[in-house]
């Protein structure tokens, strides 16, 4: 995203209390210059290169004391949509070379996070819907104050009624490594229950559209996810799917109980639908198939559904934002 020397200096910078003088000191050391604020309380940073830099100020109403004058420093670079996967992989490798493996990865985005003693670093990409709709996409490298960001998330997670975590799915490093600075203690905030079918449809569609996009570029850490949705009343119905690899290709699978009934009757070895090298659009199609099956169960609402999801290799899946309760075996 930015030259190696600048990247290393930025990721290792001491931003102190995150006042304007602190941000100006770090920016000057990187060869940048703080400019004026725009109408969204963002300080634009003048930088030479094919990227944009901005520093977000604390909102005027926020007097909780979590943040200094600024809440983040972001470097953003636009790329052509078709170049987005390779550009994200390259940027991820650059950050890993400085900080080591991320403590968290997920989507929609994709994104990767490092939790350091003083800062949180996040590398994010454009969400699948934006990549599909626009000819240009973006990468963003964001540095945030750790204590302020985590305090803000904690208060929102506990007390903000309509707040939702920024991730639709998340996987955690199995063994956080102090050698590369990722600390223990990263919190997981549950997605609130889906209030109606339309909210559940949005959750499911976002998840299944983003996984085919996120997993291929995060495949050093998370490369497969299996999920199952079933009625909570215990009847013998389900819809399940898998995103993974087969013989070097990406693969998406969706199956229902009826698929297996029909396959058994015909002595077929495979059931359901399999898609090789799926796209975000294929993920949306899988969501449509899953919803069509779920609606045949004649349930009153999504609170009568349960789910399971997991990953068998790589980082451990610990958040899957369907807005459903976990299915107890």
């Amino acid at each position: 995203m930015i030259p190696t020397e600048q990247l290393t200096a930025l990721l290792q910078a001491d931003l102190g209390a995150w006042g304007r003088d602190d941000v100006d000191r770090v920016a000057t050391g990187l060869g940048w210059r703080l400019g004026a604020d725009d109408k969204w309380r963002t300080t634009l940073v003048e930088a030479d290169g094919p990227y944009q830099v901005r520093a977000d100020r604390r909102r005027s109403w926020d007097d909780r004391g979590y943040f200094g004058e600024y809440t983040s420093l972001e470097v953003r670079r636009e790329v052509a949509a078709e170049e987005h996967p390779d550009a994200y992989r390259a940027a991820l490798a650059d950050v890993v070379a400085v900080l080591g493996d991320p403590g968290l990865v997920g989507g929609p985005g994709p994104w990767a996070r490092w939790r350091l003693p003083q800062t949180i670093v996040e590398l994010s990409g454009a969400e699948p819907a934006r990549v599909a709709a626009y000819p240009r996409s973006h990468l963003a490298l964001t540095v945030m104050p750790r204590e302020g960001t985590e305090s803000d998330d904690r208060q929102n997670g506990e007390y903000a009624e309509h707040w939702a975590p920024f991730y639709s799915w998340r996987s955690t490093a199995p063994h956080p490594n102090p050698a590369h600075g990722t600390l223990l203690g990263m919190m997981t905030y549950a997605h609130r229950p889906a209030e109606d079918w339309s909210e559940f449809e949005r959750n499911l569609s976002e998840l299944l559209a983003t996984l085919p996009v996120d997993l291929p570029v995060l495949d050093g850490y998370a490369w497969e996810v299996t999920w199952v949705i079933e009625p909570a009343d215990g009847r013998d119905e389900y819809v399940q799917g898998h995103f993974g690899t087969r013989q070097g290709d990406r693969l998406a699978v969706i199956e229902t109980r009826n698929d297996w009934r029909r396959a058994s009757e015909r002595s077929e070895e495979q059931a359901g639908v399999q898609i090789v090298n799926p796209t975000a659009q294929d993920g949306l199609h899988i969501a449509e198939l899953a919803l069509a099956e779920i609606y045949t169960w004649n349930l009153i609402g999504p609170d009568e559904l349960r789910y399971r999801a997991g990953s068998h290799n790589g980082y451990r899946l610990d958040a899957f934002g369907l807005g459903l309760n976990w299915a107890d075996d």
Side-chain angles (χ1 to χ4, degrees):
M1 289 191 63
I2 59 177
T4 301
E5 290 186 4
Q6 279 187 317
L7 177 66
T8 302
L10 173 62
L11 296 179
Q12 297 177 348
D14 179 4
L15 281 142
W18 283 79
R20 185 177 178 91
D21 289 345
D22 297 307
V23 175
D24 185 43
R25 169 177 48 79
V26 170
T28 300
L30 293 167
W32 301 338
R33 299 167 299 280
L34 259 63
D37 291 357
D38 64 16
K39 62 181 179 181
W40 295 285
R41 292 182 60 81
T42 294
T43 301
L44 304 179
V45 181
E46 299 176 19
D48 297 325
Y51 50 84
Q52 300 82 44
V53 184
R54 50 183 277 178
D56 285 338
R57 297 171 64 91
R58 185 187 74 247
R59 299 308 177 194
S60 58
W61 48 262
D62 187 354
D63 58 359
R64 297 170 299 172
Y66 294 159
F67 296 104
E69 190 174 351
Y70 287 89
T71 63
S72 67
L73 181 62
E74 178 188 274
V75 181
R76 178 178 293 239
R77 180 166 69 89
E78 287 195 351
V79 296
E82 63 272 15
E83 298 172 1
H84 184 269
D86 288 340
Y88 187 88
R89 289 189 191 97
L92 179 59
D94 288 344
V95 180
V96 167
V98 180
L99 298 181
D101 293 332
L104 301 170
V105 297
W111 57 264
R113 267 197 175 197
W114 293 258
R115 183 179 189 261
L116 308 178
Q118 301 301 323
T119 59
I120 289 174
V121 175
E122 179 178 293
L123 176 67
S124 60
E127 296 182 17
R130 179 175 178 82
V131 174
Y134 298 95
R136 298 196 66 76
S137 181
H138 74 267
L139 305 175
L141 178 68
T142 309
V143 179
M144 298 164 276
R146 183 178 69 81
E147 289 189 6
T149 300
E150 292 181 342
S151 295
D152 187 46
D153 285 348
R154 183 167 56 250
Q155 177 163 346
N156 287 328
E158 293 178 359
Y159 301 111
E161 182 178 359
H162 297 293
W163 181 82
F166 70 92
Y167 45 82
S168 59
W169 71 275
R170 192 182 88 163
S171 288
T172 307
H175 302 291
N177 182 0
H180 63 63
T182 297
L183 303 177
L184 294 169
M186 293 174 286
M187 297 294 293
T188 299
Y189 297 97
H191 289 75
R192 63 187 180 88
E195 294 183 352
D196 51 33
W197 286 117
S198 62
E199 185 172 353
F200 170 67
E201 288 179 10
R202 287 195 301 272
N203 292 344
L204 181 67
S205 297
E206 179 180 80
L207 267 170
L208 300 191
T210 197
L211 284 169
V213 176
D214 300 337
L215 292 174
V217 298
L218 296 171
D219 60 1
Y221 308 102
W223 56 86
E224 65 171 359
V225 169
T226 299
W227 54 273
V228 182
I229 301 172
E230 59 192 21
D233 59 16
R235 76 179 82 168
D236 188 20
E237 301 289 354
Y238 63 80
V239 58
Q240 64 185 16
H242 176 75
F243 292 91
T245 59
R246 184 181 64 185
Q247 298 177 347
D249 290 322
R250 302 299 308 182
L251 183 70
V253 177
I254 179 172
E255 304 164 342
T256 70
R257 184 69 179 92
N258 283 328
D259 290 332
W260 279 106
R261 291 187 184 110
R262 288 190 291 266
S264 178
E265 292 170 357
R266 301 169 185 171
S267 299
E268 297 173 348
E269 294 184 0
Q270 294 183 344
V273 175
Q274 299 190 7
I275 302 172
V276 177
N277 295 325
T279 64
Q281 195 61 42
D282 292 321
L284 289 174
H285 178 56
I286 289 173
E288 292 171 354
L289 295 175
L291 289 167
E293 173 67 17
I294 289 168
Y295 288 145
T296 68
W297 301 341
N298 296 317
L299 303 176
I300 295 175
D303 59 326
E304 296 184 346
L305 293 171
R306 298 292 183 268
Y307 86 101
R308 292 188 298 274
S311 52
H312 302 293
N313 295 292
Y315 282 27
R316 178 178 61 85
L317 184 71
D318 70 347
F320 201 68
L322 290 173
L324 303 179
N325 290 324
W326 184 261
D328 296 323
D329 293 328

